[in-house]
Amino acid sequence: MRRYLLPALALMAAPAAAQDKPATPAQIADAIDACAAITSPTWLELKQLPSHGWKPFEKRGGRRGAMKVRGAYEKVGNEALIIISKEELKQKACVVFAKLDNTADYGPTAQGVSEFVGMPVRAEGPTYFWIMDDKEMRLDPAGDRDKPIARFEITAIPQESAE
């Protein structure tokens, strides 16, 4: 199993779904913008997420009511989730998860997001790559056939040191 499926499985294993419906390309772009704003080559500024409208994700339902899910962030009116686990913190990567209705929606989702962030600079199989100013974004299919996800990973491009 790929390492980036684990946070998704943790969110989806609960009786209450993490995302009720697929995120629109505009919602995904909004999450990507928030990730890009908090990502630097040396750190992820998690404390800045609230200023972009993102707060810790609360899993609803069950006897305990709402429980905060560590490493997951949501925004009211946005179906995308921002995921930042310990692994992402180590890699200085901010990840956006967008639920898909089915696996066939992966390509159209990539195309829709491209309308907001520009065209990918390259593709390797089903993986697409973008360069956005000083950030690189990678899109991979994730989840499984029954619960497909578009996984966007945003990282800062290291600055070359002047000699």
Side-chain angles (χ1 to χ4, degrees):
M1 179 180 299
R2 295 182 198 163
R3 69 164 172 78
Y4 51 80
L5 294 181
L6 296 177
L9 294 176
L11 290 172
M12 292 181 184
Q19 300 164 299
D20 293 330
K21 56 187 174 183
T24 66
Q27 290 172 337
I28 296 168
D30 180 44
I32 290 167
D33 286 345
C35 275
I38 68 161
T39 302
S40 79
T42 58
W43 195 247
L44 295 179
E45 298 293 339
L46 298 179
K47 291 180 181 178
Q48 290 181 7
L49 279 174
S51 68
H52 297 278
W54 294 86
K55 63 181 180 121
F57 174 72
E58 293 185 357
K59 183 173 72 172
R60 289 141 188 96
R63 295 188 313 208
R64 293 186 182 179
M67 277 182 21
K68 289 185 181 177
V69 177
R70 184 180 212 146
Y73 300 87
E74 66 183 340
K75 183 176 183 178
V76 174
N78 192 322
E79 295 297 326
L81 290 176
I82 293 176
I83 306 294
I84 303 172
S85 70
K86 285 183 182 180
E87 186 66 27
E88 279 81 29
L89 282 173
K90 275 199 269 185
Q91 296 179 0
K92 280 100 179 148
C94 186
V95 174
V96 174
F97 275 10
K99 178 183 181 244
L100 303 174
D101 273 333
N102 57 63
T103 56
D105 289 342
Y106 179 74
T109 297
Q111 184 176 359
V113 169
S114 292
E115 293 177 18
F116 292 91
V117 299
M119 294 302 293
V121 294
R122 74 181 195 280
E124 295 174 11
T127 302
Y128 296 94
F129 297 88
W130 285 260
I131 300 296
M132 304 176 311
D133 297 323
D134 61 344
K135 309 289 189 289
E136 180 178 59
M137 182 172 70
R138 170 188 182 126
L139 169 60
D140 292 292
D144 59 31
R145 184 179 299 277
D146 295 329
K147 294 182 180 174
I149 296 170
R151 180 188 183 275
F152 297 83
E153 179 180 280
I154 296 88
T155 55
I157 298 170
Q159 298 295 319
E160 299 290 329
S161 56
E163 302 210 16

